[in-house]
């Protein structure tokens, strides 16, 4: 126990050169706390029979504690899951021009709600309303925190204590927390389900719409597909029926891209412009799904309905901030030049990366992958893969891609989880996925400019 007296004091440790430079970087408070914590730990260890640690060892442990404490919790990762718009990994990666716009809005005061012509008060929605009108054909637009908020605000404004008619085939759940029936209830609207899971007809809607009806709603079944003996009513027919009965027709598009993706070989995804043209009075969609921008909920449609929604006090509670609006404006601006969109809109660049380019990248990386796995009971290979768009877009379509694969030699499935954990511990954590008895790193989202850094850190895999 006398040995404890030989542990250095807090001040003695803080005077070490290594800790002095830590103090210079992170401040006295953080380093002193780490020293105290490490000394407490050392004291307990010695009491438990461990040898007295050398000063160098204590300094190294303090350095480790400070590094762990100060590391930002929101860490960049390599998304090699094969899901391009991965909700848990932040959905759309933003283009450099968009990142610049965010930085500009953050650095200096900006005319967020200020009309520079008149010097009077402005409306933050005006920053993007013109672009949204141009790109969707709608009369007016407003922006909130996300699409869930957009749907909630719309229902709360137009359908409180009234009925909303929706097909049973469209009562979707998005990632657990967003469920159409729950949102309806919370917004104060009464859900009226019509039709069946697989088939809903115009007459089902016709019978359900009455004096208590606030709106007819269509929800895009974005994260699943009903196949086989199915029927859904086209938007145009629903719009006609709703209008004949004097109620609005609204569409929750979910993802909603602003251009026809087929021109780049991607599957068709409905656009707000199509819904508006078919007669929808309001359309809502996300900013960070196929649109490729920041998290936001966009509402476009008739001027009077948008004006009503903007007057709801909840709009204030759900509004988007200046960084979001800066990013959204810059993202939408890219759509003005659709020809260069696949080069300039980062999300689309990843979605349209040719398989041949990914294959060539896999070939360059294979030797690094093999070297990294040399000490593991695993075979390294490259195999074809199928990426997903993700975020509930186009659920059944797959994009041909190529993956780095690790397969256990023999029946050692546990080793895959060890490798998965080791990849997560790399300086920029690598997130892949385990499927068919192998660990797979889909290279679609490994941008060519990040390839060298990715390869270099593979050499440190342990
Ligand atoms: C994704 C989605 C939502 C929720 O949008 P968030 O932007 O994640 O809030 C709502 N409805 C549909 C149909 C969706 O696909």
């Amino acid at each position: 126990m006398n040995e404890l007296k030989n542990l250095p004091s807090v001040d003695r440790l803080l005077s070490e050169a290594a800790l002095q430079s830590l103090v210079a970087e992170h401040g006295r408070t953080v380093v002193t706390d780490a020293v105290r914590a490490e000394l407490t730990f050392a004291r307990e260890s010695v009491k438990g029979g461990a040898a007295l640690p050398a000063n160098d060892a204590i300094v190294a442990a303090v350095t480790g504690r400070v590094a762990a404490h100060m590391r930002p919790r929101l860490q960049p990762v390599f998304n090699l899951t094969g899901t391009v718009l991965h909700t848990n990994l932040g959905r759309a990666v933003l283009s450099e021009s968009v990142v610049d716009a965010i930085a500009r809005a953050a650095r200096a005061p900006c005319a967020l709600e200020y009309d520079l012509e008149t010097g009077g008060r402005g409306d933050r929605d005006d920053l993007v309303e013109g672009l949204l009108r141009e790109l969707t054909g709608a009369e007016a637009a407003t922006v909130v925190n996300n699409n869930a908020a957009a749907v909630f605000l719309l229902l709360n404004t137009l359908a409180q204590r009234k009925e909303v008619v929706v097909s049973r085939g469209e009562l979707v759940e998005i990632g657990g927390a967003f469920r159409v029936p729950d949102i309806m209830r919370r917004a104060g609207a009464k859900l009226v389900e019509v039709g069946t899971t697989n088939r809903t007809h115009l007459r089902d809607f016709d019978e359900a719409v009455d004096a208590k009806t606030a709106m007819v709603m269509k929800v895009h079944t974005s994260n699943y597909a009903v196949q086989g003996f199915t029927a859904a009513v086209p938007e145009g027919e629903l719009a006609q029926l709703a209008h004949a009965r004097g109620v609005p027709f609204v569409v929750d598009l979910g993802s909603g891209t602003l251009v026809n993706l087929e021109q780049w070989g991607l599957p068709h995804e409905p656009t707000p412009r199509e819904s508006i043209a078919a007669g929808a009075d309001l359309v809502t969609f996300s900013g960070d799904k196929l649109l490729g921008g920041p998290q936001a909920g966009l509402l476009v449609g008739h001027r009077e309905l948008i004006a009503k929604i903007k007057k709801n006090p909840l709009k204030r509670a759900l509004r988007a901030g200046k960084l979001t609006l800066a990013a959204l404006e810059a993202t939408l601006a890219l759509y003005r030049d659709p020809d260069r969109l696949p080069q300039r809109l980062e999300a689309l660049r990843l979605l349209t990366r040719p398989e041949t380019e990914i294959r060539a990248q896999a070939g360059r990386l294979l030797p690094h992958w093999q070297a990294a796995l040399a000490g593991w009971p695993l075979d390294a290979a490259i195999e074809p893969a199928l990426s997903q768009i993700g975020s509930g877009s186009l659920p059944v379509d797959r994009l041909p891609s190529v993956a780095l694969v690790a397969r256990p030699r023999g029946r050692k499935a546990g080793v895959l989880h060890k490798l998965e954990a080791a990849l997560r511990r790399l300086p920029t954590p690598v997130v892949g996925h385990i499927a068919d008895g192998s660990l797979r790193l889909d290279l679609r989202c490994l941008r060519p400019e990040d390839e060298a850094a990715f390869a270099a850190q593979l050499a440190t895999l342990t």
Side-chain angles (χ1 to χ4, degrees):
M1 279 304 145
N2 258 349
E3 277 205 290
L4 286 178
K5 293 208 184 79
N6 294 328
L7 273 174
S9 70
V10 172
D11 287 340
R12 164 80 193 72
L13 282 167
L14 283 174
S15 67
E16 294 268 352
L19 295 193
Q20 281 296 302
S21 63
L22 271 189
V23 168
E25 192 177 344
H26 300 291
R28 178 159 300 273
T29 309
V30 166
V31 183
T32 307
D33 287 352
V35 166
R36 289 216 172 91
E38 189 54 35
L39 283 175
T40 303
F41 174 77
R43 215 170 283 127
E44 294 306 314
S45 305
V46 171
K47 278 188 203 159
L52 195 73
N55 273 13
D56 283 359
I58 298 177
V59 166
V62 168
T63 307
R65 276 178 190 270
V66 170
H69 186 64
M70 297 308 284
R71 186 186 311 124
R73 290 301 177 264
L74 188 55
Q75 274 197 80
V77 301
F78 284 112
N79 169 16
L80 305 190
T81 59
T83 301
V84 179
L85 301 168
H86 198 300
T87 297
N88 303 141
L89 302 179
R91 290 196 184 157
V93 172
L94 301 180
S95 307
E96 275 312 310
S97 64
V98 175
V99 174
D100 290 345
I102 296 174
R104 266 197 310 278
R107 250 187 225 118
C110 55
L112 178 63
E113 292 186 347
Y114 184 77
D115 186 329
L116 286 170
E117 265 172 44
T118 64
R121 193 196 162 102
D123 178 341
R124 62 179 67 204
D125 284 336
D126 289 351
L127 299 170
V128 290
E129 188 176 43
L131 274 159
L132 283 168
R133 286 172 51 183
E134 203 177 299
L135 296 166
T136 65
E139 283 176 4
T142 183
V143 183
V144 287
N145 179 63
N146 58 10
N147 188 41
V151 174
F152 176 80
L153 186 62
L154 169 149
L155 292 169
N156 181 265
T157 308
L158 304 176
Q160 213 177 13
R161 289 185 288 277
K162 289 179 124 188
E163 294 180 354
V164 178
V165 184
V166 187
S167 162
R168 284 205 169 82
E170 298 175 356
L171 299 176
V172 307
E173 173 183 304
I174 314 281
F178 179 92
R179 303 173 102 193
V180 169
D182 297 345
I183 286 272
M184 289 257 179
R185 197 173 321 114
R186 289 290 179 151
K190 187 166 179 295
L191 171 65
V192 175
E193 307 171 25
V194 299
T196 61
T197 308
N198 57 327
R199 291 174 71 83
T200 302
H201 307 283
L202 191 61
R203 63 172 184 276
D204 297 322
F205 286 95
D206 194 39
E207 285 161 13
V209 175
D210 60 26
K212 300 183 291 298
T213 305
M215 63 176 71
V216 173
M217 185 172 191
K218 184 167 182 69
V219 182
H220 183 52
T221 56
S222 40
N223 54 2
Y224 65 99
V226 183
Q227 284 174 333
F229 186 55
T230 65
V233 187
E235 288 183 349
E237 291 178 28
L238 283 179
Q240 260 182 12
L241 173 89
H243 297 160
R245 304 296 195 82
V247 294
F249 170 54
V250 309
V251 180
D252 171 14
L253 262 193
S255 200
T257 171
L258 296 171
V259 282
N260 184 359
L261 295 176
E262 283 163 311
Q263 58 187 304
W264 300 295
L266 292 168
H268 181 80
E269 174 84 355
T271 65
R273 185 182 286 283
E274 287 165 2
S275 299
I276 296 284
D281 300 286
L282 282 171
V283 183
T284 77
F285 51 104
S286 284
D288 56 353
K289 292 184 179 173
L290 274 174
L291 186 84
Q295 180 189 304
L298 303 138
L299 279 141
V300 302
H302 278 315
R303 189 169 297 119
E304 314 83 71
L305 294 177
I306 293 288
K308 239 185 191 172
I309 285 168
K310 289 175 71 156
K311 282 204 196 94
N312 186 332
L314 283 172
K315 163 68 165 64
R316 171 61 189 258
L318 302 172
R319 73 183 181 186
K322 65 177 178 180
L323 303 186
T324 297
L325 288 164
L328 188 59
E329 183 185 18
T331 304
L332 293 173
L334 295 175
Y335 280 86
R336 282 183 162 153
D337 182 3
D339 298 339
R340 278 186 290 175
L341 204 56
Q343 291 89 54
R344 297 170 71 193
L345 184 68
E346 196 57 27
L348 192 59
R349 176 159 85 111
L350 295 175
L351 288 169
T352 57
R353 271 188 85 196
E355 191 188 352
T356 48
E357 182 189 307
I358 306 173
R359 184 172 303 285
Q361 185 178 42
R364 289 190 298 273
L365 287 170
L366 183 60
H368 298 275
W369 184 231
Q370 283 166 328
L373 296 187
W376 296 70
L378 292 160
D379 287 321
I382 36 187
E383 290 181 12
L386 291 170
S387 314
Q388 274 184 281
I389 295 177
S391 276
S393 314
L394 313 154
V396 283
D397 293 296
R398 293 286 191 276
L399 313 172
S401 180
V402 182
L404 296 176
V405 175
R407 253 178 221 292
R409 276 179 228 124
R411 281 180 289 114
K412 296 203 195 92
V415 71
L416 290 179
H417 293 288
K418 283 206 184 106
L419 176 61
E420 212 180 21
L423 288 164
R424 282 199 305 266
R425 283 194 306 268
L426 287 170
T428 301
V430 173
V431 189
H433 79 285
I434 292 177
D436 343 308
S438 63
L439 184 134
R440 311 175 68 81
L441 304 179
D442 185 321
L443 296 175
R444 171 168 296 279
C445 294
L446 181 61
R447 294 180 284 189
E449 58 269 37
D450 296 333
E451 186 181 317
F454 173 79
Q457 71 163 11
L458 271 187
T460 68
L461 188 79
T462 49

